[in-house]
Amino acid sequence: EGHEKCLREQGYEIAPVTLDNSDWMFAAVYGRGDDAMKVKVKREYLDYMERIFAFYEDRAIDVFGRAIPHVLLIHANQLNADTMPELLAMMRRRGYAFVPLQEAMADAAYRTADNHLGQYGPSWLHRWAVTKGGAKKNEPDEPAWVMEEFKKLQGR
């Protein structure tokens, strides 16, 4: 809570993310790859993001019995810059439109209690599900080869 207060005092918004993903992992591999690797990463990333959206759309229905306005977390990186036209087309195809954060958070889902305690911050859909007595469900994994390439970059 102290970090959130400090950030708000500096003018930053704190948003409960419902559409979380591992774009940072794909971006690391993308940024260090040759042209052939970049094409492969881009294709896999777009497929992965399609699965992420489908998973969290279904998860919202599991938790709330209905669709909710989502808050998407993506990082500023070259991969997202290079795939933004395709990502936006995918979002439009799935029925998304951008709205101000406060408008999305006006939905009753965002007033649901959150009793999550942990080192990492999973999607708020996971937090809400567990708080409501449900189980955490794992979102789609990154392709194994992306994870392996990422580990190589990290020296593991």
Side-chain angles (χ1 to χ4, degrees):
E1 186 174 321
H3 295 295
E4 289 182 16
K5 181 180 178 192
C6 180
L7 288 169
R8 284 194 180 99
E9 287 171 354
Q10 294 178 41
Y12 292 98
E13 287 285 335
I14 306 298
V17 171
T18 59
L19 274 163
D20 198 5
N21 62 84
S22 297
D23 68 335
W24 50 271
M25 185 182 301
F26 284 87
V29 175
Y30 183 80
R32 301 260 175 91
D34 60 16
D35 288 345
M37 177 65 82
K38 287 182 178 184
V39 168
K40 184 177 178 182
V41 171
K42 185 176 177 180
R43 183 180 59 246
E44 290 281 353
Y45 176 60
L46 291 168
D47 290 345
Y48 165 80
M49 289 298 282
E50 190 88 42
R51 291 189 313 273
I52 286 291
F53 272 76
F55 172 82
Y56 284 117
E57 290 163 2
D58 290 345
R59 190 69 174 134
I61 293 169
D62 289 345
V63 175
F64 295 108
R66 63 183 177 84
I68 65 167
H70 284 283
V71 176
L72 170 64
L73 172 64
I74 58 172
H75 297 88
N77 57 51
Q78 193 61 53
L79 174 61
N80 280 323
D82 291 349
T83 59
M84 193 53 59
E86 293 95 333
L87 288 171
L88 290 171
M90 181 264 294
M91 289 181 230
R92 285 188 197 102
R93 190 174 62 251
R94 298 185 80 86
Y96 287 88
F98 288 93
V99 299
L101 178 60
Q102 295 308 319
E103 183 179 327
M105 290 182 58
D107 188 279
Y110 290 90
R111 292 187 296 280
T112 302
D114 165 28
N115 296 333
H116 171 77
L117 294 174
Q119 181 179 6
Y120 301 105
S123 165
W124 282 61
L125 283 166
H126 296 319
R127 296 165 179 250
W128 292 325
V130 171
T131 298
K132 292 173 96 176
K136 181 182 182 293
K137 292 184 180 178
N138 292 328
E139 60 271 358
D141 287 329
E142 310 78 18
W145 73 266
V146 171
M147 176 64 80
E148 288 305 314
E149 290 295 322
F150 180 76
K151 287 179 181 177
K152 287 180 194 174
L153 294 172
Q154 301 301 306
R156 294 188 263 162

